[in-house]
Amino acid sequence: MHCQKLRIKSKQPISNILYFIMMLFLIINSHAHAEIIFYDGFENQIIPYGQPGNVWKPVNVDSGTIVQSSARYGQSSLGLTLNYDDNWGQNPSSELSLLKAGAKYTRIGGEYWYRISIYLPENFQSSGNSTILLQFFPVPDTDLGESWKRHPVLALSIKDDQFQIGIRADANPVTIIGSKYDVSKTMTIGPWPKNKWTDFVFNIKWSYRQDGILRVWNDDKLVVNHDGPNCFNDTVGPAWKIGPYEWYWRTGPNLTPTREVYYDEIKIGDATSSYSEMAIDSPPEPENDMICSVDLNGDGDISEDEIALCFNVGDDYLCPLGAVDCAGDTCPLGDYACIPNSEGVLQCSPHPCSSFNPNNFDDEGTTEGENDKTDDGPVDENGNCLGTLYIFSGNDKRCRMPGISTQFKDCCTDQYSSFLFSMDICNSKEEQLVQMKEKGLCYYIGSYCSKRIPLVGCVQKKKTYCCFHSKLSRIINEQGRPQLQNFGSDGGWGEPKNPDCRGFTPEEFRMLNFSLIDLSEWYGDITTRSTEEIQNSMQQKVKNFYE
């Protein structure tokens, strides 16, 4: 036990980058360009194969999983997982194939632009073998005796700590696996990062002749500049497949039994497209800083879809939230200006626009940990504690829910694997909290609004927890506090803005009735011992403390 005292921390200022974060989510991302012939940001569930509207065909997987915890842009991405136990000795892949790729998006002789973002989580480990992440697979001319057992003509893969691009091409009318191709080479294009989205752009003119083109950009850097053959002499162009493929799993057991890869922001453009159409580098600057934010559902909060950048003509601005089409130059809602929207249609809205200023926020937060009891209280010249002793004290921990400060990502997730997707937005304290929650060390107090826009509503919430050094400490606090009058029947945890995570004084601790405390959750995590033995051990420790 230690002496304790209160420590008050100073409030942190609002980050200067808040303005950029706000603008990032106010920008209206339009993917409808004349040169774009396909786009999928995986914001909706994948339509089952065979049903109208489906564009993806599963390859050794029922379908991909739409993941809400990570996205290159928007709210979701596609997750594909490959398990060794499910695929040993079979076709070891978990892929989706773009249905019309061979006929529409990869026609032999045609030129196209492709882009894709790929995310490799922390648990993705190098195996020493090549792991394919995406491939363009040749469609066989079965009437000539060709089969599907051929190599991909283009593949993006990982080996050791490097991304690689593999190319195979041949002008022979018939190609079979194992034959000597006109072109067969692999190029290393750079290291692969974990817990970070990596962007790839391909410019390809599909040809088995010398007029073929292959350009590849990795995060805005041109890493492949190949002129010449880049495919087989087939009638139909190659099929585009995304997802992990582990060819070496056919050979037997391995040290990497699971592959988990995430994909987002897939675009295809025709020959009239360009790199600027495909690339994602930074969001474009808005034409003005006029925004509108409306609590459409009346819940007191402002979510991403309740904030928008206004359109303007001259001195007039249109809020797209709640906007309706004008009848000529007349607004059916009343005396509101008719302004052209992003598609040039005259609309009007009852909601006003205002200039965004980060200083307009009301900061309603309080300082995390300012009421915590710390182990550095005063002692006298003989080393005796002069402060108050607390047993099983906890600490005030907080995290931000999806909101304007987190680019609408959740820094309060209950799973660390999901938190990894947001490490570029969330802070180290929030990372520690997620890990402590996973270990069962934290008690949830509640949530509160930490940032509010006047006359609009809450734009950022936080959750508050009391976290302890052990699961045992948390259990005793949860079940022991309501026993004591000093805490009250609700446990006396305080409010989310001002939590009380203190432990028990020695006098309070002596008053606890441990026969009323269920320790099954705790001793289920340790070597099995009887309840009586555990309680006796605890009582002995308390006795030793007083002696």
Side-chain angles (χ1 to χ4, degrees):
M1 307 303 169
H2 302 276
C3 292
Q4 315 257 340
K5 71 176 183 181
L6 294 176
R7 173 177 293 163
I8 307 297
K9 298 181 181 179
S10 61
K11 291 188 176 181
Q12 298 297 319
I14 297 176
S15 171
N16 291 332
I17 203 169
L18 188 57
Y19 181 83
F20 173 78
I21 294 175
M22 180 70 169
M23 289 298 104
L24 180 66
F25 280 90
L26 299 181
I27 293 162
I28 298 175
N29 258 336
S30 174
H31 300 285
H33 301 284
E35 301 86 352
I36 304 302
I37 57 179
F38 177 81
Y39 169 76
D40 199 341
F42 302 107
E43 295 301 305
N44 301 302
Q45 292 295 323
I46 294 177
I47 299 173
Y49 180 58
Q51 292 190 13
N54 173 271
V55 296
W56 296 101
K57 179 180 180 180
V59 182
N60 296 323
V61 65
D62 292 335
S63 67
T65 301
I66 300 300
V67 179
Q68 299 290 337
S69 54
S70 174
R72 180 60 176 88
Y73 275 170
Q75 299 295 312
S76 309
S77 63
L78 170 72
L80 288 167
T81 302
L82 177 62
N83 294 308
Y84 176 80
D85 291 340
D86 299 333
N87 291 273
W88 183 86
Q90 304 175 35
N91 193 3
S93 67
S94 178
E95 299 172 295
L96 294 180
S97 176
L98 195 57
L99 284 178
K100 298 181 179 180
K104 187 175 181 180
Y105 306 132
T106 57
R107 181 178 54 83
I108 302 297
E111 182 179 352
Y112 302 88
W113 290 79
Y114 310 89
R115 70 140 287 115
I116 189 170
S117 295
I118 299 177
Y119 185 100
L120 301 173
E122 182 67 32
N123 62 7
F124 195 102
Q125 301 296 326
S126 177
S127 65
N129 295 281
S130 179
T131 301
I132 292 178
L133 302 178
L134 69 82
Q135 58 179 301
F136 290 88
F137 201 85
V139 178
D141 293 323
T142 55
D143 58 327
L144 299 179
E146 292 179 336
S147 73
W148 285 98
K149 293 184 177 181
R150 298 193 293 172
H151 292 111
V153 293
L154 176 63
L156 171 66
S157 60
I158 282 180
K159 186 175 182 181
D160 297 326
D161 60 348
Q162 298 288 320
F163 281 120
Q164 295 183 333
I165 293 288
I167 308 173
R168 293 182 178 88
D170 200 276
N172 290 316
V174 177
T175 55
I176 60 174
I177 192 168
S179 61
K180 185 176 181 180
Y181 305 126
D182 294 340
V183 176
S184 180
K185 64 179 181 179
T186 300
M187 295 165 282
T188 298
I189 62 173
W192 56 276
K194 294 182 181 181
N195 305 322
K196 176 183 178 296
W197 284 101
T198 303
D199 300 325
F200 293 94
V201 175
F202 301 81
N203 175 213
I204 306 174
K205 179 182 178 181
W206 294 106
S207 179
Y208 50 87
R209 299 188 176 96
Q210 292 300 320
D211 60 344
I213 296 173
L214 173 61
R215 310 279 188 268
V216 182
W217 287 262
N218 177 0
D219 282 344
D220 295 324
K221 180 181 179 182
L222 182 64
V223 291
V224 174
N225 189 359
H226 169 81
D227 292 323
N230 54 39
C231 64
F232 294 158
N233 183 358
D234 295 323
T235 302
V236 179
W240 190 12
K241 298 196 294 185
I242 60 173
Y245 174 65
E246 297 282 6
W247 59 268
Y248 71 94
W249 280 10
R250 299 172 184 267
T251 62
N254 63 93
L255 300 178
T256 55
T258 301
R259 284 299 192 217
E260 186 179 357
V261 186
Y262 299 87
Y263 300 86
D264 202 2
E265 291 299 311
I266 293 179
K267 283 185 184 181
I268 303 177
D270 61 16
T272 64
S273 189
S274 64
Y275 179 79
S276 60
E277 282 285 329
M278 295 290 111
I280 290 183
D281 35 29
S282 59
E285 291 294 329
E287 295 181 358
N288 62 77
D289 62 353
M290 300 297 286
I291 67 167
C292 59
S293 43
V294 183
D295 184 10
L296 297 174
N297 58 15
D299 64 355
D301 296 339
I302 300 299
S303 58
E304 180 183 358
D305 56 0
E306 294 177 321
I307 302 177
L309 182 67
C310 294
F311 302 105
N312 76 291
V313 174
D315 295 329
D316 291 326
Y317 295 90
L318 169 69
C319 172
L321 302 175
V324 298
D325 293 348
C326 291
D329 293 331
T330 303
C331 175
L333 300 176
D335 187 19
Y336 300 106
C338 291
I339 302 294
N341 63 13
S342 60
E343 298 178 353
V345 178
L346 287 177
Q347 290 189 321
C348 59
S349 171
H351 304 300
C353 297
S354 59
S355 178
F356 174 74
N357 184 341
N359 294 322
N360 287 341
F361 283 126
D362 286 341
D363 192 343
E364 300 184 358
T366 53
T367 303
E368 176 181 327
E370 66 181 356
N371 294 323
D372 284 351
K373 306 298 186 293
T374 55
D375 295 339
D376 54 1
V379 295
D380 62 19
E381 58 184 8
N382 297 319
N384 297 314
C385 292
L386 299 178
T388 302
L389 293 171
Y390 291 98
I391 303 170
F392 292 144
S393 270
N395 297 103
D396 169 14
K397 300 287 185 182
R398 308 184 195 182
C399 55
R400 292 167 295 169
M401 301 166 65
I404 198 168
S405 298
T406 67
Q407 299 185 16
F408 294 93
K409 291 186 177 181
D410 188 7
C411 294
C412 290
T413 178
D414 292 329
Q415 295 182 333
Y416 187 65
S417 58
S418 299
F419 181 85
L420 294 174
F421 293 113
S422 306
M423 290 184 69
D424 55 334
I425 302 298
C426 307
N427 58 47
S428 59
K429 289 185 177 180
E430 289 164 330
E431 179 182 8
Q432 182 188 46
L433 173 56
V434 171
Q435 292 173 318
M436 296 181 77
K437 286 198 296 177
E438 265 199 336
K439 295 177 181 178
L441 305 181
C442 302
Y443 178 84
Y444 177 55
I445 305 299
S447 65
Y448 67 94
C449 180
S450 61
K451 294 187 184 297
R452 185 182 301 273
I453 296 180
L455 304 180
V456 173
C458 185
V459 294
Q460 182 64 64
K461 277 188 172 184
K462 285 186 177 182
K463 287 184 177 180
T464 302
Y465 297 82
C466 283
C467 295
F468 300 88
H469 297 294
S470 69
K471 185 178 288 187
L472 176 63
S473 299
R474 193 214 81 217
I475 293 171
I476 293 178
N477 271 272
E478 280 186 3
Q479 300 182 43
R481 280 171 166 250
Q483 295 183 21
L484 304 178
Q485 185 176 358
N486 288 352
F487 292 99
S489 59
D490 63 352
W493 296 97
E495 299 297 326
K497 283 188 178 181
N498 295 288
D500 183 357
C501 300
R502 77 169 179 87
F504 303 95
T505 65
E507 292 76 15
E508 291 170 340
F509 196 76
R510 291 174 60 184
M511 297 170 63
L512 293 178
N513 185 348
F514 284 96
S515 66
L516 300 178
I517 296 179
D518 180 7
L519 299 175
S520 57
E521 181 185 353
W522 174 59
Y523 60 69
D525 291 345
I526 62 176
T527 303
T528 303
R529 294 186 294 169
S530 69
T531 305
E532 182 179 359
E533 182 182 353
I534 293 173
Q535 292 178 343
N536 289 340
S537 174
M538 185 184 307
Q539 292 169 358
Q540 184 61 45
K541 290 180 180 179
V542 174
K543 181 180 178 181
N544 292 340
F545 166 76
Y546 285 107
E547 293 177 350

